[in-house]
Each structure stands twice: as C-alpha cells, then as structure tokens.
Amino acid sequence: MVAFRLNGEDVDLDVPNDSTLLYVLAFDANALGPKYGCGKSQCGSCTVLIDGDPVRSCDVTVSAAAGRQVTTLAGLREADGGPGPLQRAMIEEQAAQCGYCTAGAIMQAQALLDRNPNPTESEVRSGLNEILCRCGSHNRIVRAVLRAAEEI
Amino acid sequence: MNKMLSLSRRGFLKKTGCLTVAFSLPLSMSADLAFAEDALADAHGDLRSNPMLDAWIRINADGTVDLMIGKVELGQGIVTAFAQVAAEHLDVDIARLDILSGDTFYAPDQGTTAGSNSMPAAYGALRVVASEVRAVLLDLAADELGVPVDDLSVEDGTITGPNGAETTYWDLVEGETLHREATGQAPLKSPEDFRVIGQRVPRLDIPGMMNGETTFLQDLRPEGMVFGQVVRPPTYRARLANVETAAAEALPGVMAVIRNGSFLGVVAERQDQALNAANVLRQVAEWEVESNLPGNENMKEWLLSQEAIVSKKKDEPRSGGPEPAKWMEAEYYRPYHMHGSLGTSAAIATLGDDGVTTVQTHSQSVYATARAIAGMLGVEEDQVHLQHVQGSGCYGHNMADDAAADAALLAQAVPGRPVFMQYTREDEHRWEPYGSAMVLKTRAGLDEDGNVLDWEFDVYSTPHGMRPGGNPARLIPAQYLDPPFDEIGIPQQSGGPPNYNTARNAIADYAFPGHVVTDHYVPQIPLRVSSTRGLGAFANIFACESFMDELAHDAGVDPVEYRLRHMEDERARDCIMAAAERFGWDSFEGGRNRGRGFAFARYKNYAAMSAVALEVEVNPRNGRIRVIRAVTASDAGEIVNPDGLENQIEGGLIQMLSWTLKEEVRFDDTRVMSDDWASYPILTFNEVPPIENVLINRPGEPYLGAGETLVGQAGASVANAVFDAVGVRMRDLPLTPSRVQDALRG
C-alpha cells in the first residue's frame, strides 16, 4: 500500500512498494501527464513534482512519493479545470509539434518559476536543459515560459 | 465495433476552444492553381477509391458531424487543417466535427501520411465531398421548404429560405441520404467567401495535451489493459537456440510467455512485471549470433567498396568549350542517423470475440501496415483493424509499425485483454530503421575566374525507403517467427524523378554548364534503414553546399556572391539574398574563432526552398562548436499559415543541427551500441541558438509543403562557418569536438 497526495487529492493504492512511480501514476492513478521516454532520467518526459521539486518518475519507485505531494499537469489547472498560466502560455505560443515532451517540460518549468518567478532567457534554457525535445520546439517553449513569468 | 476512439475524440474536440495561431489556408487559394498536378491526381485518386459521400462525412441527428479521413496527425497540424476544409465547404461550425482519422475500418484509405503531400492531396478530395454533401442537403431543403435552391442560405448547418422558413442538416438527413457516390458536379464555394479557411484556427490537439487530457496513445486506458514486452535478439542476425521460460512464467503477474521461433515476448498484469519478466528472459535466453556488420568506423570504406547499381540521375556534360583551368574534388560522409522519437513506439492490441485483432497505433501507414499484420498473423485482411492515435513525433518511418505488430502478436495469447506495449529506450534505439549512411564525391572543373564549368556529383548509399507497404517481412517481429518472413524485398533500384530517394537533391539547383549526377546504389542493409527526414537530401545538400563554399573560397569570392553567380532562378536568388540581408552578411565581423556560414537548397528541386546563414564560435582547446545565432529565409509559395510554416522550418533546422553536431549511430561488427541518449546524444536547450525566420510570401503561387525544406543546409552552413572561423574544412559528420580537434591539429 502506498499513500500520497496527487494534485491535491489523497490517493491510497494497493501496489507493490518497488513499483516504478511513473507506472503507478500512469496506470494506477490514471494521471495523463508524465510519459515514458527513456527509463533512466535522460530525457525528462516523465517529470513530475514531488513537494515542488522536479523528479524523473521513470527512475524512482513509488516509495519516493509516499506521504508527499505529487503534482502532474492536472495539478496546474485552474479551479474550473481550464489550463493554468503556464499551460495557457504554452497554448498561446503553440509550443509543440508532437508535444510528447511538453508534459515533462511544463513540470520542469513550473518548478523553475516557483523558485525564480522572473527568470532570464538563459536561466530558462539552463533550467530546461535536461528536458529533451526532438521536434525542435525549444525556442517556443522558452518563449512560453517567459510569457508565463510575465503573466504570473 | 470499437467506438472508443471516436467517442473520446468527440469529448476532446468539444473541450477545445482556444485562442491563437495554428494552421490556416490562404484566402485566395484556388485549388487548381494551388496544387501541383500530381497532387491533384492523388486527390482524385483518393476519391476514386473512396467514392461514397458517407465514407467521408456523416451528419448525425444530434447536430454533430462525423468527418472520416485517412491522413493522420503526426504533430504537423493536419487534422486541424482538414477540419477547417470540411467546416468551410459544409458551412458548419468546426466544433460540430467529430473527427476520425486513420481508422482502417471506418476512414477512407488515403495511403501513407508522408512526404509533405497531405494537404495538396487530401484537400482536393475533401473539398469535393463536403461541397457535394452541402448540395445534396440544399436540394432536400428546397423540396421541403418549397423554394428554389438558389434562394437558400446556410449558417452553421441551419438552412434558411427567403420567407424565413428554416430547416437544418440534422433534420434533413436520414438513413441513406448520403450513401451515394460523389459526382464532382457540386458547385464549389468561391475563395472570396471563405470564413474558416484562411483563419488562424488553433491546433485542435494542443490545449488538451498541455492540460493533461487524453491526447496520446499512451493516454488510453481501455478496461482490463495488460502489459506486453518483447525480448529482442542481441543482434539483427541471431537465432534463439534455447530459452528456459519456467522462471519467467513463475514471476508475479506474468500471464503468458510467448515463444515462436526466435520471437520471444511476455504479457503481465502490470508494466513493471512485464519489464521484469522480459529481463529474466533476456538473461536465460541463449542465442546464436552472427558477427558480420561493417562497424561505423569502417562504413565509408564499406560503402565505396560494395557492388553498386549505377545510374545517371542527370547526364548533361558540356559538349565542347574550353578545358577547365583547374579541377577540384572532395568527399563527404554522413553516418547513420536515428529518427530518435522522444517517446518510444507503442501500441495497444486486442483480440476480440469476433476474431478481429484491433490495434491502436501511431503508424504513418495504418492501411498498409494492417495488411502486413494480417499477413504476419495469417488471417484475412478484415480480421485486423488499425486505429490511428497520436504518438511521439516520428520524422519518417520509425518503429510505430513494428510496435503495432508486436502488440498484435502478444494479444493473440490473451484473448479479450487489451495489450499495451511500449518499447524500452534501448529497443527503440537499437532496432529502429535508421537514415542511411552515405558518401558523396564531388568534382568540379573551373574556369579562370573559379566559376564552375563541369560539375560531377556521385552518391553512394544503401536504401532509404523501406516502409512495410503490406509486406510482413518488413515488420521486425515477423522476421523472427517460425517460419520467418524473410522476403524483405530490398529495392533493386534507387528512386527516379521527381522525388528520387538516395539521390534526392543530388542534382544541384545551380545552372552549371556541365552537370552529371551518378547514383551508386548499394542494395544491402547491414543496418536496418527506412525513410528518415529528407531521405538522401540531407547528405546531398550538405555535400553540394559545402563544396560550393570550398569553390568560392578557392576562387576568392564571397560564398553568397558565388552562389548568386551560379543561380538563375529568381525566387532562389531572392531567398538567398533575404537570408544574407537579415543576417547582416556583408557587414559581418567575426572576431577570433568566430565565423559565418551559408547554405541554400530547394527541397526535391521543386518544393519549398530555404537558405540558412549562421554564426559559430569554435573553441580550439576542446574542439567544441557553438552555434551563436541563425537566420533562415524560406519560400514555400503562398503561405498557408506563417506560424505553422515557421514551426516546421525552425524545428527542421534544430533537428538537423543536432544531426550535424552530435549524431552518429555507433555499431561494431555485431551490434548497435547507441542504445540510449547518453550514447546517442542530441541537441539540448542550452545548445539551441536563437533563430530568426524570414518568410517570403508568394500569393497565388502553389502551396509547396514545408516539412523537409530545411535539411542539409544546416550541416553545410555549420561546416562552412567552422572553416570561416578556424580555417579547417570538416567533411565527415558529425562535427564532434574530437573531430574538430583532430582537424585543428592537422
């Protein structure tokens, strides 16, 4: 059994303690943000926040989340279910081609903005440097994060 | 019937209603003007093979409209563009549309979604169908309301007569109303009347993906889903000699271990359990392995020493005239590249009670792959149903089709249970069909001023296009079954005009007095290969545009000026000059270890064109190249949507910079060694330069399609800039720090 808070709601799951956090979030808790990309913390598409810190959920067991706050894309939405400020900025910049990396990129960027609400462009790039994007949407994502910083 | 996807999409579409820019079509678009003739023929071909109106469009009593299309969303925005076309010509709000794309049972077969050809081809068919549905409904309304058709007007599906009497599409349609063949006779709406086409409709899928709603195949959670994994051989040419499956079968959650010949797989209740069982099987499986690969270090020599099928792609030597004052020659190399999809390929397959295997897949070619999977399973074609759902970007033929086949095989062992199968990163990296390695030899005879008199270009390459095309042997798992499907069918000739494949863009865009292009096609696949962004164009443009730079420097002429001397096409000249101007080419001051590089090409010689000017800094101590800034200038004909075009151009430049600076598939005599992002690194956020994009609009000119317009220009502009910065000529890709250091040491 593992218990934690997911996007503000208590979850209590009957899963093996050594289960990979990503698969528990995806398949047991039905969180639709984090994606498998590499399984070894190299690409960042599985990134979620645990107590506000970005964590590669493919590379830790669910015990890393026990008793803590886990945030995925759904946790950044407005109360009415609509997209939150960073998500809106990503939509406004149309910051995707395939979009597979964006769930991880958004979580990583949210952690950055939480620590540094007014980052420079270079701080945004460095903050996202461990998130891989293959379509070449980097500059759009950077613009979206800067736009969100302005709006927040 | 599985309506899951259709229903989930209906929900998903209704939620989207967001702002900003996406795909739009030009206001003045006239189809006959806007499409190349071959594309128009394709469109009519789509209609010929799918003539019934209700194969494309259905009007529902609840006021929704089903739109069925055979082309699929790959991150290029195509579904949104189709929705615009249908909404425009039907006169309904785009939010009414429930779109089903790439479903082999319920959407019309429009072939593979590739080659930057979807909009030109499919626009024509959809326009005809939507206009005709509208005309049918107006006829019915005229009867019902007792007024002439010409007196009716339509607003979002509501038809109004001159006296104010109304009816609606959803009231008029019943049963078989639209079950009739398209005639092509319905009047077409004039572009001046367009209200949806030409508007900046945002991409329908982006809000959901940012908001964490069901978007990707990886987001589907069908009831009772279980998890599959496959255990690949250690090498391509390996045979499973023995495997003791008992230990894996005894693991918690394991439902089935599947062995068929050298195919080995497992299905378990949980993903961790499937991965764990696959690892156990990997440890106990005994394989007979062959060691006969050339190795990436020897690939260049290997390509040049194989028996090749030689053909002239252009054979216009000079006849007579002066002897060249001098000859120059060079040799360039492009290694194997990966598609490198960020998400590994995945599929969900279910064997139903009716014997039909249904597969959710992100394949580009659902129709042909459904046939190939049916062949692999030994069942009739109507026993395999593929449904397209978005996955990670593919940039060509990646492992999506293999994943569909693997999942289909695994699903046979657990009837009724949907089997989710997503490859490990190692499996995707080692087994995907790469972009072929190539050697390019260039030779030029020059006049006294250094201008080209005779241009000779020789291409050495293994195949490029190896999509399944209905052939089971081109699906990885089928090659390992007992008996194996082993008739892979390596093409015995390289492609011809106008698209070519190995020789794509081997013909330079310049007007040389003598111009000979020879293709040395090596019909072997030491490493698995298939369609990868631009096919041969990346390497051919890299070589051509690098060599032009070498010739310019040798002649003591500015590289931009040198290109213009040899370029007659006015649009190409405009494009070159636009990039140079925005970059500030003429006023550039490099500084120590800094340099500027330029390159230009027109994709396939007839599609969209792009020039690139960029600045690099080379660190002579560690050999590292940093791209400081880049400018692109592009002409894609009439601009459909500046934002969409820029997205494609910029994404192409960044991906190709990554190929240029970092990427090479490494392999020894036995196996591929590039098996993760550490051993096959790609460009990161810190390494991506700021990019300015100049878009040259050509109102009224054909829409050219731009997904691959910027490929080899990236490689050549960087190599040329490195030469400008530190005076060494880099001809072998990738331009890694160690290669640069070696070159600097001379």
Side-chain angles (χ1 to χ4, degrees):
Chain A
M1 295 288 280
V2 179
F4 53 92
R5 280 177 79 77
L6 175 61
N7 300 323
E9 294 190 8
D10 288 323
V11 287
D12 207 344
L13 298 168
D14 184 13
V15 299
N17 282 334
D18 61 352
S19 301
T20 306
L21 176 58
L22 170 63
Y23 303 134
V24 172
L25 291 174
F27 302 122
D28 296 300
N30 201 29
L32 297 184
K35 301 272 183 301
Y36 173 86
C38 70
K40 38 167 90 169
S41 293
Q42 292 178 341
C43 75
S45 59
C46 65
T47 302
V48 299
L49 303 184
I50 298 183
D51 289 347
D53 293 327
V55 171
R56 313 294 177 227
S57 66
C58 73
D59 210 12
V60 294
T61 64
V62 70
S63 57
R68 303 173 73 181
Q69 302 267 1
V70 178
T71 311
T72 67
L73 283 181
L76 303 186
R77 296 177 191 159
E78 302 285 11
D80 68 357
L86 181 54
Q87 292 163 316
R88 281 201 304 274
M90 291 286 285
I91 296 165
E92 281 154 9
E93 292 290 342
Q94 295 276 292
Q97 283 186 35
C98 85
Y100 196 89
C101 73
T102 52
I106 289 173
M107 300 318 297
Q108 184 79 16
Q110 186 65 51
L112 171 76
L113 292 175
D114 288 343
R115 281 193 308 272
N116 178 1
N118 290 299
T120 63
E121 180 182 332
S122 126
E123 284 169 341
V124 173
R125 283 186 190 279
S126 294
L128 292 173
N129 203 46
E130 286 170 18
I131 302 290
L132 297 181
C133 164
R134 186 57 164 168
C135 294
S137 300
H138 304 73
N139 292 346
R140 285 171 179 254
I141 295 170
V142 170
R143 282 202 298 274
V145 176
L146 292 170
R147 175 194 276 256
E150 271 179 35
E151 288 176 7
I152 291 170
Chain B
M1 175 196 296
N2 187 335
K3 282 289 280 179
M4 177 185 72
L5 287 174
S6 178
L7 291 173
S8 75
R9 275 179 201 182
R10 181 169 298 191
F12 146 63
L13 265 173
K14 291 283 180 278
K15 279 180 218 138
T16 60
C18 267
L19 359 147
T20 71
V21 186
F23 220 101
S24 64
L25 294 166
L27 271 171
S28 61
M29 178 178 268
S30 141
D32 292 1
L33 194 74
F35 303 119
E37 277 183 16
D38 57 343
L40 201 61
D42 283 351
H44 291 162
D46 285 351
L47 211 48
R48 260 197 301 279
S49 49
N50 308 283
M52 305 307 285
L53 295 179
D54 64 357
W56 300 80
I57 289 171
R58 282 194 296 257
I59 309 283
N60 302 313
D62 64 358
T64 60
V65 177
D66 294 338
L67 170 64
M68 285 76 68
I69 52 177
K71 297 289 184 185
V72 300
E73 182 62 52
L74 307 168
Q76 82 284 43
I78 203 68
V79 165
T80 306
F82 284 169
Q84 287 179 265
V85 173
E88 182 69 70
H89 290 283
L90 266 178
D91 273 325
V92 297
D93 193 292
I94 204 164
R96 291 190 184 273
L97 297 174
D98 178 8
I99 303 164
L100 184 68
S101 70
D103 185 306
T104 60
F105 277 19
Y106 304 114
D109 182 353
Q110 295 182 280
T112 302
T113 305
S116 312
N117 283 326
S118 295
M119 263 325 275
Y123 177 86
L126 194 51
R127 183 181 67 145
V128 168
V129 169
S131 302
E132 195 147 341
V133 167
R134 183 179 181 277
V136 167
L137 293 165
L138 284 179
D139 278 344
L140 289 172
D143 282 350
E144 184 176 308
L145 302 176
V147 295
V149 167
D150 288 346
D151 293 347
L152 297 172
S153 65
V154 188
E155 178 79 35
D156 187 22
T158 296
I159 303 169
T160 309
N163 49 4
E166 281 184 4
T167 183
T168 67
Y169 286 0
W170 8 103
D171 291 331
L172 289 165
V173 169
E174 49 188 49
E176 303 284 287
T177 306
L178 297 178
H179 193 64
R180 60 172 82 183
E181 285 195 19
T183 63
Q185 300 303 308
L188 298 173
K189 191 189 265 190
S190 163
E192 290 83 59
D193 298 331
F194 284 174
R195 289 184 290 184
V196 186
I197 292 175
Q199 299 304 307
R200 298 183 161 216
V201 174
R203 243 176 69 188
L204 296 171
D205 51 338
I206 282 185
M209 77 175 59
M210 300 305 177
N211 214 21
E213 295 161 16
T214 301
T215 304
F216 297 98
L217 188 144
Q218 288 86 351
D219 298 331
L220 302 180
R221 306 281 186 268
E223 176 117 15
M225 188 166 85
V226 294
F227 298 84
Q229 280 292 304
V230 288
V231 179
R232 289 271 178 258
T235 68
Y236 291 122
R237 290 168 192 81
R239 207 180 64 81
L240 183 56
N242 187 42
V243 60
E244 186 54 62
T245 58
E249 281 162 346
L251 290 168
V254 171
M255 301 170 70
V257 172
I258 300 102
R259 183 190 171 178
N260 178 342
S262 291
F263 175 85
L264 192 56
V266 60
V267 178
E269 296 282 356
R270 303 180 60 80
Q271 174 75 337
D272 277 310
Q273 293 166 338
L275 288 162
N276 187 31
N279 279 334
V280 168
L281 288 167
R282 216 167 267 126
Q283 283 159 18
V284 298
E286 295 166 28
W287 302 89
E288 288 168 8
V289 173
E290 280 181 41
S291 296
N292 52 9
L293 300 180
N296 61 291
E297 300 288 342
N298 307 312
M299 197 57 207
K300 196 171 172 178
E301 292 69 31
W302 185 91
L303 271 173
L304 293 173
S305 61
Q306 300 307 300
E307 194 169 321
I309 297 169
V310 180
S311 60
K312 291 271 191 265
K313 299 303 182 188
K314 187 177 178 88
D315 194 11
E316 295 174 9
R318 276 193 306 146
S319 53
E323 281 298 305
K326 72 184 286 191
W327 285 90
M328 284 182 65
E329 59 185 37
E331 187 178 296
Y332 302 86
Y333 175 65
R334 170 228 164 139
Y336 287 103
H337 287 132
M338 288 187 195
H339 300 83
S341 296
L342 192 73
T344 55
S345 296
I348 301 173
T350 314
L351 173 58
D353 294 344
D354 52 2
V356 172
T357 301
T358 300
V359 188
Q360 284 89 44
T361 172
H362 51 94
S363 165
Q364 286 179 283
S365 57
V366 285
Y367 302 92
T369 296
R371 291 194 292 276
I373 290 175
M376 176 186 76
L377 296 176
V379 301
E380 296 297 319
E381 287 181 9
D382 63 6
Q383 298 294 98
V384 175
H385 178 193
L386 261 59
Q387 301 178 309
H388 184 270
V389 191
Q390 283 173 247
S392 186
C394 58
Y395 329 108
H397 172 204
N398 69 350
M399 286 192 85
D401 307 280
D402 302 306
D406 273 317
L409 275 172
L410 297 174
Q412 307 305 306
V414 285
R417 304 296 295 271
V419 178
F420 174 89
M421 200 290 309
Q422 180 167 23
Y423 291 128
T424 63
R425 173 49 56 193
E426 180 181 349
D427 280 347
E428 183 93 11
H429 259 48
R430 293 186 55 220
W431 289 87
E432 71 142 282
Y434 306 121
S436 188
M438 296 170 72
V439 175
L440 303 311
K441 290 186 173 187
T442 56
R443 187 165 181 265
L446 306 163
D447 69 16
E448 296 290 348
D449 297 323
N451 296 319
V452 176
L453 294 173
D454 304 295
W455 177 270
E456 297 170 9
F457 195 93
D458 289 71
V459 182
Y460 299 78
S461 176
T462 66
H464 284 264
M466 298 277 285
R467 289 184 189 279
N471 178 2
R474 290 189 179 180
L475 300 169
I476 282 289
Q479 297 172 11
Y480 297 99
L481 298 175
D482 180 24
F485 290 85
D486 48 13
E487 298 293 326
I488 293 173
I490 297 176
Q492 290 304 301
Q493 57 183 19
S494 64
N499 282 325
Y500 302 100
N501 48 45
T502 60
R504 185 169 294 179
N505 283 92
I507 298 168
D509 297 302
Y510 301 104
F512 300 132
H515 196 160
V516 178
V517 175
T518 310
D519 186 53
H520 307 256
Y521 171 66
V522 178
Q524 299 184 54
I525 46 170
L527 294 196
R528 185 183 188 216
V529 286
S530 194
S531 304
T532 307
R533 202 169 194 159
L535 280 64
F538 173 81
N540 291 321
I541 293 168
F542 166 64
C544 172
E545 286 297 287
S546 292
F547 195 50
M548 283 297 280
D549 198 74
E550 297 198 36
L551 299 180
H553 281 283
D554 189 71
V557 178
D558 177 90
V560 171
E561 165 62 23
Y562 191 78
R563 283 177 172 79
L564 292 172
R565 277 192 194 179
H566 291 84
M567 179 59 74
E568 291 178 347
D569 183 85
E570 284 303 325
R571 284 172 67 176
R573 292 177 65 88
D574 288 350
C575 193
I576 289 169
M577 290 188 284
E581 187 185 332
R582 177 66 66 89
F583 179 82
W585 186 264
D586 291 335
S587 57
F588 179 79
E589 289 178 23
R592 190 172 160 82
N593 297 321
R594 287 199 176 200
R596 60 183 177 172
F598 197 92
F600 167 84
R602 181 169 199 179
Y603 187 53
K604 301 183 189 176
N605 305 116
Y606 67 81
M609 62 186 87
S610 280
V612 177
L614 52 73
E615 179 178 0
V616 304
E617 180 172 39
V618 181
N619 183 329
R621 279 174 301 148
N622 59 21
R624 207 172 282 277
I625 300 166
R626 186 166 72 93
V627 181
I628 293 170
R629 65 188 177 105
V631 168
T632 71
S634 303
D635 176 350
E638 177 155 2
I639 295 177
V640 170
N641 171 357
D643 192 68
L645 181 58
E646 226 178 285
N647 208 350
Q648 290 294 312
I649 301 278
E650 182 164 311
L653 175 61
I654 292 169
Q655 193 176 82
M656 299 298 106
L657 286 176
S658 184
W659 285 16
T660 299
L661 293 168
K662 299 191 134 181
E663 299 183 30
E664 173 174 25
V665 177
R666 294 175 198 282
F667 58 104
D668 61 13
D669 64 351
T670 311
R671 67 199 296 268
V672 171
M673 299 180 293
S674 302
D675 60 5
D676 63 11
W677 295 119
S679 51
Y680 189 88
I682 62 174
L683 215 64
T684 66
F685 272 87
N686 274 335
E687 297 166 318
V688 170
I691 299 167
E692 276 187 88
N693 303 295
V694 180
L695 305 179
I696 302 171
N697 195 11
R698 300 286 185 187
E701 291 292 333
Y703 168 56
L704 296 173
E708 293 148 304
T709 179
L710 205 160
V711 280
Q713 298 96 318
S717 57
V718 172
N720 296 341
V722 168
F723 181 82
D724 190 46
V726 291
V728 295
R729 182 59 66 178
M730 306 297 297
R731 300 189 185 91
D732 290 359
L733 296 176
L735 308 183
T736 55
S738 64
R739 283 228 173 96
V740 175
Q741 278 184 307
D742 287 349
L744 284 169
R745 284 192 209 103

